[in-house]
Structure formats: structure tokens, C-alpha cells
Amino acid sequence: MAECPVCGYEFDLPPNTEEGEIISCEDCGSELEVTGKDSVQEAPAEEEDWGE
Amino acid sequence: MKVSIVGASGYGGGELLRLLLQHPHVEVHQCTSERNAGKPVTRLHPNLRKQTKMNFARIAELEEVDCIFVALPHTEAMKRFHQFSVRADRIVDLSADFRLKDPETYKHWYGTDHLLPERLPEFVYGNVELHREEMKTAKYISGAGCNATATILGLWPLFKSGLADSAYPVVAEAKCGSSEGGNRASEASHHPERSGCVRSYKPTGHRHAAEMAQELGTPVHFSATSIEMVRGILVTAHLFVKEGVAEKDIWKTYRQVYGDEPFIRIIKEKQGIYRYPEPKLLSGTNYCDIGFEMDGNRLVVMSAIDNLMKGAAGQAVHAMNVMCGFEETAGLGFAGLHPI
Amino acid sequence: MKVSIVGASGYGGGELLRLLLQHPHVEVHQCTSERNAGKPVTRLHPNLRKQTKMNFARIAELEEVDCIFVALPHTEAMKRFHQFSVRADRIVDLSADFRLKDPETYKHWYGTDHLLPERLPEFVYGNVELHREEMKTAKYISGAGCNATATILGLWPLFKSGLADSAYPVVAEAKCGSSEGGNRASEASHHPERSGCVRSYKPTGHRHAAEMAQELGTPVHFSATSIEMVRGILVTAHLFVKEGVAEKDIWKTYRQVYGDEPFIRIIKEKQGIYRYPEPKLLSGTNYCDIGFEMDGNRLVVMSAIDNLMKGAAGQAVHAMNVMCGFEETAGLGFAGLHPI
């Protein structure tokens, strides 16, 4: 089981995911980079500026 | 199952009628309005044209049904309770008459003695997420206030789990729409005066604060500002969490408490236009969207609802579904519009 | 029945997805968007959060389905027609590519040669009220323009019955919302510039006039003014009727032509707040509301729709229901909100 670093949601990586692949956390939607069999880290997503 | 709506000419009654006319397990038997008796309901609810040919009846003409929804002005449900309880086993009251468990608190906030204090324990407070088990065996439901609902649903998991630090004050500020005032026109709701307002209409002393304290077990310092909006509430709550609580713990708490709730969505995203809860997207839906951000151990929680739906009619139908054993989302599946 | 939506990232595609996700007889197989491939559809359509976990696919990944809805920018459906026709027997195209029967007229209004003129006769123009019989046996439907739909539906009975005096010019003026421009931002749609506008953006030369002439058999002098509104169109049409035609004849004509149409309502009332068609009440519904007033033999006809529903996605689903033999109101039962 992998754990999302942002929200702590635990989930099974889809079977054919490879290292370096970007997936999104089912619960908080953060973009995660697969770093190992059951490990992910937050993918460097540039925060779009709203210009508000 | 047969249901009737008492006080069906107002915005809350009209929204109830819209939902119940399309509810898979329910047939609307009568809709009452003393002022509009004999008139077609579509006169007051033009969106229902071609949906129904019903006319308004009088309360005196009420016939026996399985459930009566009461959407009368405050104190009316209390005064006429007996007229309803003899005609239906189940009652869902949208007013504030039976919300507060303590008659003294009621008197303090509503300036009048409660007429049926002995009935108060029989009414279950209308937030299904907090009172589902009690509702399964209840006969009477009291709909929760709209501002209270938005604030309570946003904060409840943090108090239930003990993450919130109640040593510090909790501040909640609601941005509200004009439909909260109901369909009676007034000087202040006259379009040239109301349009474009950012009106601090209740900086302090809003009655809903009493319900928030009752349900959260802690006082909430509540203010309401009405803005350019017809439907919708966005509450921004400001509180502190205990030392050492991290963002992950907040996510986990909401997931544990609300995990499979059909009408709660956690909205906290880093991309897209709507990254936090947005009330206009919820118009006509029964959703409460909740988002949050941390700043050290200070927490800001944002919660949005449609005051006429999750804050009134939608919540009432949801509670009826639980009380009568229907699937909870029956009649409440509308997804909301975008763009709107 | 399996369907897919090509070009599902726009407002029209998103509205189609909202309707089809809750359609009783249909399963949405794929949604494509080249720009957003791989992203969750809820990134572009936040109202669908918790309704679907689908991601956008690419057109190249399209699989065979029973019906494909195409919601691409103009000329794209024409260029890619073959990619769709090999993957689905039935196609509903929301663009203008196959609306005009005459390739010369198309070239005049859209400034480019039509790429598949031989296909034009196979497409049925999207107003179900005018083309129901042809749709029952059709494979391809071309969605009608939103302004055209509102104008055509308001005027068609008067021309079909011969009451309208085509010796006089017909003027139609649409008050439009900002969602007509789609979800691409521009200088002119920048909020501080667009908010509160009463903008004469097309006093003459609006493309939809070509469809009006084609369907009504007479030219319509059409102007469009965008106002403070997101969804919705109100068309006010000005024409003359023949000598001796009285108000009763107008009522009779509308009753004869539209009598049992599920999505047409005649709104001409003497009381209540909404006595003539009001577009905001129609947000999210598939209704076209029509009203009129006479002044001697001059007639003013008002017609209102939601440009994203009766003017695009709702009409497309209605046409699919007819084409596939479903009950016409399947997936289109939403009554609209009041107040809103």
C-alpha cells in the first residue's frame, strides 16, 4: 500500500505503473510521482497563479 | 408514500415542492398557503409550470398523509403543532421552533417562551451527517438553520476528533445570498438598494450561533455579510488546532468522519479555477463542499452550501429519506450547473 | 447504449456529460480533449466532482460506440468526420458544420468551402419540434445554433400557419449571456470589462441568421446584445400578422403546432412576477418558453431558452432520444430553480 504524502490516503498502485510515472491521489487529487513499488512523492506541480 | 407541504408559498416550501414532485417514492398530496389558497402553485413557483397543476389548499383542509413538511414563519409550527400531529405520523419542520433543545436558550434568542417544551426531545436536529442514527427511529425532524448547517458541517469533524483547540475563540463569517430573507419584499431588498451590496447585516447576535454552540459543543463567534448572490452561503471559519497537528491529520479526520457521506465533498485543489468551495456551483444541489488551509496551528475552514437546499429543503428531504428508509440520495441527485 | 463525447472540455461538452452521466438508458464510454488528455474531467467540470472519475482521452483512442456527440470548434467535425463515422453508427454534432443545407450559403457565412457537401442531406437540423419525423430514421443530427433555436421556435408556428405577413420585415433581437462565447478567456471577457455590460456585439451579420432563414423560409433581421447573464437567451421578435388576425388566433396556432410538445411552454400571464418568458428560470432545463403581445396587427414574440441546454446539449440529448427511440424526456426532467 502506498500513502499519499499530502493527505495520508492509503491506496494500491495500479498494477502496471512504472517508476517516474505521474498519478493523481484519489482523495485529494494531488499529482504524485511513483518512486518505487509502493512509494510515491509529491510531483513538482507549479502552482498556477490566478492573478487575482 | 403520501406527503403534504404546509406553508408552500415561500422559497423553502417551493424548493421542497420541486424536489418532492420528482421524488421516486413520494406523492405530493396537498400544498397549503393561507394567503394564496385556491391559486395555482405555479403562480408563486414559476419554475414548476408544466410540472404540476396543483392549487394551494388551506391548513383547515389538511387531510391525513404519511409525512407533513412544515415551512411556516417562526412560532407558527409551535402554535399549530397539534393540527399537524393528528394528520401525519411524521413531521419535518423547517422553522427554528424545535431546533434548540433548551427552552431557556430558545427564549433568549427568539424573545418568546417556547409553547411546547415537552416536545423538544422528540425532534431530531436536521443535519443528517450528525444525527443519522437517531433519525432512523425518529418521527419528528427539525430542519437546521442554513448558516448553522454550513458552519457546523465545516467544523464538526475537528471538534469531534478533538483536533480543534477550544481554548481559543472560533470565528465564522458567512457570505450570504438574498434568498435567505425569504420572498417578502422590503425596503432593504428593493433592487436598486440591494444590488451590488456588501452589507454587514449581522456582525454579531445572529440566532444561528445558538445552534452552532449546541451542535459543536463550543461557542462560535458568527457574523453574516450579504453579497451579490441569490442562492448560496460561503462560511470562512477561523480557529486553532492543537500543537503538532499537521495537514495530513486534518485530511484524515475529514476522511474518517465524512468518508462515505453522499453529500459532502472535500475541495482543496492546486489547479483549476474552483480550488476551494464555490457556492454558485452548488445551486440546486444538496452538497456541502468543504476546504481548508493551515497556517502554523491556525486553521481556516471554508464550507459552501445552497441555503435553500442543504440549508433547508434538500436537508429536509434527505432527513425524510433516512427516517422512511429510502436510499439517502432519492430525489437529490442533481449535480449542479457549470458554468452558472 | 454506449456513447462518447468528442471535445468534452468545453461548456457544451461539459453540459452533455452532466446530462448523459444521469441518463437512464446511456453509459458514457469516453470523453476526449486533446489539450486535457489524461486529466480528470472534473478539472474542467467541477460540478461533476463525486459524479465521475473519468479522465479525458484523445480522439486517436476513440473506441466503437453506438453514438458519438461531437462538440468541437467549427470546421473540426467536417475535417474529422471519417474518424467518427467508422466508430459509431450515429453522430450528433453540436457545431455549425452541417447545419446549413446549401454549401454556398455555408461558404458565404463561414468564409470557407464546405469539405463534405455530399453529407449535408444526411444530417437532420437539431430542432426536434420541427424535424421529429426525420429524426426517427436519421443517423446524423446537426445541433442548431442557440440564438437560431430561440428565434425559430418562437416564430415557426406563425409562418407554418401562414398568419405571419412576410411582406413585412421580421426583426429579432437576442439578449445573450457570456457562456455563449465558450470557456476560452479573452480581453472582452475579462471580468472588469465584461461585468455589467450591455454590449451590442452583433448588431448585424450574425451567422445564426442563415439558419433562421433556412428553417422559417423567410429572412430574419437579427441582432445580438450581450448583457449581465452567464446562461440564457431572451429573443424579442417584431413582426406583422395578416389583416384580421386576432389574439385568439395566435393562441390557437401555438396550441395546434406545439400542443403536446414536452419542452415548449406558452407564458403569457396577467399576474405574478414572471408573466413573460424569463431565461434565468430555465437554467439547466430543456424548456423553450414563448410569450407574445399584439398591437393592432403588429406582433411581438418573446422566447427564452438556456443556450447551453435547449440551445446546445439539451437539444442534442432530446434528438438522440428521438433517434434511438427512448422516451423524449429521458435525462431531461430537471425543472429549473426559483429563486435563482
Side-chain angles (χ1 to χ4, degrees):
Chain A
M1 288 277 265
E3 183 183 317
C4 168
V6 174
C7 73
Y9 181 69
E10 285 158 7
F11 60 101
D12 293 319
L13 283 175
N16 42 28
T17 42
E18 295 130 30
E19 221 160 297
E21 198 175 329
I22 302 291
I23 58 170
S24 61
C25 168
E26 242 175 68
D27 198 32
C28 72
S30 304
E31 305 237 311
L32 305 174
E33 189 184 335
V34 177
T35 52
K37 184 171 163 308
D38 268 329
S39 68
V40 289
Q41 69 183 19
E42 202 178 347
E46 20 62 49
E47 183 142 346
E48 288 155 27
D49 167 29
W50 273 355
E52 192 72 278
Chain B
M1 194 179 98
K2 273 193 184 163
V3 303
S4 289
I5 305 171
V6 171
S9 59
Y11 287 151
E15 192 71 346
L16 268 173
L17 184 53
R18 175 178 75 83
L19 295 172
L20 295 170
L21 280 173
Q22 300 208 344
H23 193 289
H25 310 306
V26 143
E27 183 210 326
V28 181
H29 187 56
Q30 288 171 302
C31 290
T32 80
S33 163
E34 304 312 299
R35 253 180 330 123
N36 299 285
K39 284 186 191 159
V41 298
T42 49
R43 176 75 48 77
L44 273 298
H45 308 305
N47 55 322
L48 301 181
R49 287 188 274 221
K50 212 173 174 114
Q51 300 274 329
T52 175
K53 293 211 184 310
M54 285 180 87
N55 289 330
F56 287 114
R58 293 182 197 290
I59 288 181
E61 296 154 357
L62 267 180
E63 288 158 5
E64 217 175 302
V65 284
D66 300 299
C67 178
I68 290 182
F69 290 85
V70 185
L72 292 171
H74 295 322
T75 74
E76 287 299 320
M78 243 185 342
K79 287 176 198 147
R80 297 168 176 268
F81 177 80
H82 182 64
Q83 288 177 277
F84 309 139
S85 59
V86 298
R87 286 193 178 68
D89 286 344
R90 292 194 169 90
I91 294 175
V92 180
D93 175 30
L94 268 66
S95 81
D97 291 6
F98 296 99
R99 288 180 195 159
L100 297 176
K101 296 299 163 203
D102 171 9
E104 284 319 308
T105 316
Y106 178 82
K107 186 171 184 192
H108 170 71
W109 286 98
Y110 289 88
T112 173
D113 286 325
H114 199 283
L115 303 175
L116 297 172
E118 68 287 1
R119 287 287 185 184
L120 288 172
E122 296 173 58
F123 276 82
V124 179
Y125 188 72
N127 292 153
V128 177
E129 290 80 6
L130 277 73
H131 297 287
R132 178 176 280 107
E133 289 317 310
E134 299 153 82
M135 287 181 176
K136 286 179 179 168
T137 55
K139 287 267 177 293
Y140 303 143
I141 307 270
S142 165
C146 49
N147 295 307
T149 294
T151 308
I152 290 166
L153 290 179
L155 297 176
W156 184 54
L158 303 168
F159 285 92
K160 186 179 180 207
S161 62
L163 287 190
D165 186 342
S166 37
Y168 290 88
V170 177
V171 169
E173 210 215 278
K175 276 63 71 183
C176 313
S178 55
S179 63
E180 265 190 44
N183 62 5
R184 288 286 173 71
S186 71
E187 300 291 320
S189 75
H190 183 46
H191 187 270
E193 306 293 351
R194 175 64 175 77
S195 176
C197 266
V198 189
R199 179 184 291 169
S200 309
Y201 83 99
K202 269 289 179 188
T204 59
H206 194 294
R207 288 170 165 171
H208 288 179
E211 303 169 34
M212 296 172 203
Q214 171 180 291
E215 297 299 313
L216 293 175
T218 183
V220 173
H221 304 301
F222 180 76
S223 307
T225 311
S226 47
I227 61 170
E228 185 63 31
M229 183 165 61
V230 170
R231 281 177 182 240
I233 298 176
L234 178 72
V235 168
T236 312
H238 311 266
L239 67 157
F240 286 83
V241 289
K242 291 178 176 148
E243 282 307 319
V245 169
E247 189 170 295
K248 239 201 276 197
D249 306 316
I250 310 286
W251 275 105
K252 270 192 189 135
T253 299
Y254 278 115
R255 202 164 32 239
Q256 269 154 8
V257 176
Y258 287 145
D260 42 23
E261 283 295 344
F263 296 114
I264 302 275
R265 300 187 298 199
I266 304 301
I267 309 291
K268 181 177 182 317
E269 296 174 7
K270 292 199 176 65
Q271 289 159 339
I273 300 170
Y274 301 92
R275 303 181 186 186
Y276 295 117
E278 168 59 61
K280 72 172 183 172
L281 293 180
L282 307 181
S283 290
T285 82
N286 201 44
Y287 285 120
C288 173
D289 282 1
I290 301 170
F292 62 90
E293 279 305 333
M294 291 193 77
D295 175 16
N297 63 348
R298 193 174 75 82
L299 182 63
V300 175
V301 177
M302 295 144 277
S303 49
I305 63 170
D306 173 342
N307 52 295
L308 293 178
M309 280 297 290
K310 188 63 165 173
Q315 167 193 132
V317 171
H318 187 195
M320 175 200 71
N321 285 344
V322 171
M323 196 165 53
C324 301
F326 303 135
E327 70 279 18
E328 292 198 17
T329 54
L332 296 169
F334 180 61
L337 300 176
H338 167 263
I340 185 168
Chain C
M1 192 179 100
K2 275 194 181 161
V3 303
S4 290
I5 305 170
V6 172
S9 60
Y11 287 152
E15 192 71 345
L16 269 173
L17 183 55
R18 173 177 76 83
L19 295 172
L20 296 170
L21 280 173
Q22 301 207 343
H23 192 290
H25 311 307
V26 142
E27 182 211 327
V28 182
H29 186 57
Q30 288 170 303
C31 289
T32 79
S33 163
E34 304 312 297
R35 249 180 334 124
N36 299 285
K39 285 188 188 158
V41 297
T42 50
R43 178 77 50 77
L44 273 299
H45 309 306
N47 55 322
L48 301 182
R49 287 188 275 221
K50 211 169 176 124
Q51 301 272 327
T52 175
K53 289 202 184 305
M54 285 180 88
N55 289 331
F56 287 114
R58 293 181 199 291
I59 288 180
E61 298 155 356
L62 268 180
E63 289 157 5
E64 216 176 300
V65 284
D66 300 299
C67 178
I68 289 182
F69 290 85
V70 184
L72 293 170
H74 294 321
T75 74
E76 286 299 318
M78 241 185 343
K79 286 178 199 144
R80 297 168 177 269
F81 177 78
H82 183 66
Q83 287 178 276
F84 309 138
S85 59
V86 298
R87 288 196 176 72
D89 286 345
R90 291 193 170 91
I91 294 176
V92 180
D93 175 30
L94 268 68
S95 82
D97 292 6
F98 296 99
R99 287 181 195 157
L100 298 176
K101 296 301 163 204
D102 171 10
E104 284 319 309
T105 316
Y106 177 83
K107 183 168 186 198
H108 169 72
W109 286 98
Y110 290 87
T112 174
D113 286 325
H114 198 283
L115 303 176
L116 299 170
E118 70 285 1
R119 286 290 186 183
L120 288 173
E122 297 172 56
F123 277 81
V124 178
Y125 189 71
N127 292 153
V128 177
E129 290 79 6
L130 277 73
H131 298 287
R132 179 175 279 107
E133 290 317 310
E134 299 152 81
M135 286 181 177
K136 286 179 179 169
T137 54
K139 286 269 179 290
Y140 304 140
I141 306 269
S142 167
C146 49
N147 295 307
T149 295
T151 309
I152 290 166
L153 290 178
L155 297 176
W156 183 54
L158 304 168
F159 284 91
K160 186 179 180 208
S161 62
L163 287 190
D165 186 342
S166 37
Y168 290 87
V170 177
V171 168
E173 210 215 277
K175 276 62 72 183
C176 311
S178 55
S179 63
E180 267 191 41
N183 63 5
R184 289 284 174 72
S186 71
E187 301 288 320
S189 75
H190 184 46
H191 186 271
E193 307 293 352
R194 175 64 176 76
S195 176
C197 267
V198 189
R199 179 185 291 168
S200 311
Y201 85 99
K202 269 288 180 187
T204 59
H206 194 294
R207 288 170 165 170
H208 289 179
E211 302 169 37
M212 297 173 202
Q214 170 181 292
E215 297 299 314
L216 295 174
T218 182
V220 173
H221 304 302
F222 180 75
S223 306
T225 311
S226 46
I227 62 171
E228 186 62 32
M229 185 164 60
V230 171
R231 282 178 182 238
I233 299 177
L234 177 72
V235 167
T236 313
H238 311 266
L239 67 156
F240 287 84
V241 289
K242 290 176 177 149
E243 282 306 320
V245 168
E247 190 168 295
K248 240 194 293 184
D249 305 317
I250 310 283
W251 275 106
K252 261 194 208 131
T253 299
Y254 278 114
R255 211 174 298 128
Q256 266 156 11
V257 175
Y258 288 144
D260 42 22
E261 284 293 347
F263 296 114
I264 302 276
R265 302 185 298 198
I266 305 302
I267 309 292
K268 182 177 182 319
E269 295 173 8
K270 293 200 174 53
Q271 289 161 330
I273 300 169
Y274 303 91
R275 304 181 185 187
Y276 294 117
E278 168 58 62
K280 71 172 183 170
L281 293 180
L282 307 180
S283 290
T285 81
N286 200 44
Y287 285 121
C288 173
D289 282 2
I290 302 169
F292 62 91
E293 278 306 332
M294 290 193 76
D295 175 16
N297 62 350
R298 195 173 74 83
L299 183 63
V300 175
V301 176
M302 295 144 278
S303 48
I305 63 170
D306 172 342
N307 52 295
L308 292 178
M309 280 296 290
K310 189 64 168 173
Q315 167 193 131
V317 171
H318 187 196
M320 176 201 70
N321 285 343
V322 172
M323 196 167 53
C324 302
F326 303 137
E327 72 279 18
E328 293 199 15
T329 54
L332 296 169
F334 180 60
L337 300 176
H338 169 261
I340 185 167

